[in-house]
Amino acid sequence: VGHLQRLLAGIAAEPDRLVGELSMMTQAETHQVLEAWNDTDREIAASTVPELFQEQVEGDAAASALLFEDTTLSYAELDVRANRLAQYLIDREIGPEQFVAVALPRSVDMVVALLAVLKSGAAYLPVDPMYPAERIAFMLDDARPAMVLTTTEVAASLPDTAPQLLLDEPKAIEAIGQHVDTAPAIAVRT
């Protein structure tokens, strides 16, 4: 009731202000929520996602890292798949200062692709295949990715603005599988 009273008093005092800009909490409540309960300051070593992931692989490679529908991948299995795709991307001169669009539905392949792009040193642009075609076209035109990782089905609805790697195509699966399964040298890629 107190919060509602403060909100109504704020509306009366400042009728031209947006309701979302008004506070329902007292200063003491705001301090408690934003500062007291949120006191999580601690030292964290500067690390990249691939470095943190590699630490986890080394710590417990057999542990489950990814569960999607009927598929479970251990950290070691996810690492091998991501490393091979990362090496494939690196061989195609994908790396730092570049974007790779990932236009995949939620799947194991999507997680592998995101991790692989980071391991290559590039940044990923997530593209939800369910977005309207105009939005996807704008995103790809704006970001100008060096490559688009996708599937045959999704590629049919994508504009042809960058080279596409169809991850479900047998030739691509074979080509990726021929790459080494060790992690790219992180120091070289960042």
Side-chain angles (χ1 to χ4, degrees), residues 19-41:
V19 173
E21 295 175 351
L22 299 173
S23 179
M24 297 188 312
M25 296 190 296
T26 65
Q27 286 182 338
E29 290 172 326
T30 301
H31 174 77
Q32 182 177 20
V33 170
L34 297 180
E35 295 182 33
W37 289 349
N38 212 12
D39 186 16
T40 58
D41 188 29

Side-chain angles (χ1 to χ4, degrees), residues 42-62:
R42 62 186 169 105
E43 289 293 320
I44 299 175
S47 296
T48 63
V49 170
E51 290 170 334
L52 293 171
F53 182 80
Q54 194 60 42
E55 287 177 19
Q56 190 63 38
V57 171
E58 292 167 5
D60 193 358

Side-chain angles (χ1 to χ4, degrees), residues 31-97:
H31 174 77
Q32 182 177 20
V33 170
L34 297 180
E35 295 182 33
W37 289 349
N38 212 12
D39 186 16
T40 58
D41 188 29
R42 62 186 169 105
E43 289 293 320
I44 299 175
S47 296
T48 63
V49 170
E51 290 170 334
L52 293 171
F53 182 80
Q54 194 60 42
E55 287 177 19
Q56 190 63 38
V57 171
E58 292 167 5
D60 193 358
S64 295
L66 178 61
L67 171 63
F68 181 77
E69 295 177 348
D70 296 334
T71 303
T72 301
L73 293 182
S74 68
Y75 279 96
E77 292 166 328
L78 177 55
D79 191 42
V80 165
R81 289 182 61 177
N83 288 341
R84 286 185 174 150
L85 180 54
Q87 297 286 5
Y88 178 93
L89 295 173
I90 291 166
D91 284 353
R92 274 132 194 93
E93 299 183 2
I94 304 292
E97 306 298 324

Side-chain angles (χ1 to χ4, degrees), residues 3 28 30 35 47 56 59 69 71 106 111 126 128 130 132 151-152:
H3 289 156
T30 301
E35 295 182 33
S47 296
Q56 190 63 38
E69 295 177 348
T71 303
R106 291 180 188 265
V111 176
D128 188 334
M130 300 304 292
T151 61
T152 306

